[in-house]
Amino acid sequence: MSSDFRTGGSPATDTLGLAEEEVVSLASELIRIDSTNTGDPDTVVGERAAAEYVAAQLADVGYETTYVESGAKGRGNVFARLEGADPSRPALLVHGHLDVVPADASEWSVHPFSGAVQDGYVWGRGAVDMKDMVAMTLATARRLKRDGIVPPRDIVFSFLADEEAGGLQGSQWLVDNRPELFEGCSEAIGEVGGFSITVKDGVRAYLIETAEKGIAWMRLRVRGRAGHGSMLTDDNSVVRLSEAVARLGRHTFPLVMTDSVREFLAAITELTGLEFPEDDIDGAVAKLGGLARIIGATLRDTANPTMLNAGYKANVIPSSAEAVVDCRILPGRQPAFERELDEILGPDVEREWIANLPALETSFDGPLVDTMSASIMAEDPGAKVVPYMLSGGTDAKAFDRLGIRCFGFAPLKLPADLDFSALFHGVDERVPVDALKFGTRVLDRFLRHC
């Protein structure tokens, strides 16, 4: 480990303090740009304004940027490359998405697109998902360029569209149509990792995402005999679909302990003394508080019905009924999951995948992991860095197709009493100002030693 990690110094630290101050305004300004992604092409706002803002911030300190739109107008993506000291080494991809999910202003304490800075937080839609990381990346990228700091290897900064709808107009489209933008990248860092949880007596564990479940959105359809609503029938598509959806919604899939989950639970046992016996794993995980929502969902596959559609008039029995189910599948479980689906649904229910993005998992080892750990512990010496699996999905699914090894690493030191997982897509989404500054320091150190 270099003396730089021990002391926190560097050959050029003139503007690290400026980057810490910038990150707050960058996050606030990004939140004020409405980049809502409804998933519906007719109502999507688009990421172009946010992409142009990012490109301007990078150009301001001398980066050459590439702006790319997919086939859909306004779905903007921005790239910039910072050359490293060793061109023979593979590059590191640092990615973030610019879109956010919708927000109903009537439910919020502040307007979701105000970017308000108050009570020690930056508030608004995207504050944790993921304009916080975009702001930290921008602040760090600007600092490196401004101070002429040359990282050990090339760094590709990418700011992407459409992550909240599966990346079809963002990462997936780019991998299919512009793979040269990721040329030479062997590893990547992105969202939903690197944040802290307080586990015992002020001891913090920082969770690095090494795996994520597959996303498989499924449409179910049952066909029946149309008829008058007043008459008897034994072939009602709505009834048969409802019964199948209820069976699926009540079903508990088998417990599967992946490597990432085992390593996480072992680390928590070491830190807290809590045991996680497999015969009472759900009860044990519940003791993790707000984090149990994420960790509990990584113990088994899930299939949650989310949409129903049938009929067009109160007195007409429709000839078909449809449902949409959000399936999240553990690494290596897709074939077994599909067999189990067919057993639950029965032969009369048709099913098709609307989207099917595979699970991914990597090991928690190697020089990049060591650098993540050292970067965090330099700022929080008593910390423990542990791997975990994300129950959702990120743009890493697209980059995995290019053979890029992906991690979730958006470092934030969080208050012990903040239910961070509830803020993702939640009301009153917000990120602590101090956490943004902490993350900027960690990310700066990490990129200078990656």
Side-chain angles (χ1 to χ4, degrees), residues 150-329:
V150 179
R153 55 170 160 165
D154 283 10
I155 300 172
V156 176
F157 297 105
S158 63
F159 305 88
L160 307 170
D162 199 37
E163 190 275 344
E164 296 293 0
L168 299 181
Q169 302 296 331
S171 60
Q172 299 286 346
W173 185 91
L174 290 160
V175 165
D176 288 335
N177 295 277
R178 297 293 304 274
E180 74 279 3
L181 293 168
F182 308 98
E183 183 178 355
C185 292
S186 65
E187 296 171 305
I189 63 167
E191 63 177 325
V192 205
F195 59 92
S196 71
I197 58 170
T198 302
V199 292
K200 184 181 180 182
D201 300 329
V203 176
R204 281 172 291 278
Y206 287 82
L207 277 56
I208 308 298
E209 186 216 303
T210 57
E212 56 187 53
K213 296 175 80 174
I215 300 175
W217 296 334
M218 178 176 62
R219 178 178 289 111
L220 304 179
R221 181 180 295 108
V222 171
R223 302 182 191 276
R225 187 170 57 249
H228 199 287
S230 68
M231 297 182 182
L232 297 176
T233 180
D234 59 359
D235 190 15
N236 188 315
S237 62
V238 176
V239 173
R240 288 164 51 216
L241 176 73
S242 298
E243 290 171 341
V245 167
R247 287 195 302 272
L248 182 58
R250 286 194 293 263
H251 181 73
T252 300
F253 288 86
L255 173 69
V256 178
M257 297 289 280
T258 61
D259 290 343
S260 296
V261 171
R262 285 188 187 279
E263 288 185 69
F264 169 81
L265 295 178
I268 298 301
T269 296
E270 179 184 343
L271 288 170
T272 67
L274 288 173
E275 297 289 341
F276 297 91
E278 292 192 13
D279 59 353
D280 186 29
I281 191 71
D282 295 301
V285 167
K287 297 175 184 177
L288 297 175
L291 190 65
R293 283 190 293 270
I294 294 178
I295 302 303
T298 62
L299 299 174
R300 48 178 55 88
D301 304 321
T302 59
N304 285 313
T306 54
M307 300 172 68
L308 291 169
N309 183 34
Y312 53 89
K313 198 170 186 296
N315 63 347
V316 177
I317 298 170
S319 61
S320 67
E322 296 183 356
V324 173
V325 183
D326 186 349
C327 305
R328 305 296 171 118
I329 307 169

Side-chain angles (χ1 to χ4, degrees), residues 363-404:
S363 55
F364 188 60
D365 56 19
L368 196 71
V369 169
D370 294 341
T371 305
M372 291 180 202
S373 299
S375 299
I376 285 177
M377 288 187 288
E379 295 294 334
D380 192 354
K384 173 78 170 178
V385 179
V386 301
Y388 90 109
M389 178 185 291
L390 177 65
S391 59
T394 72
D395 283 325
K397 293 190 183 305
F399 306 134
D400 183 64
R401 294 199 283 126
L402 294 175
I404 298 173

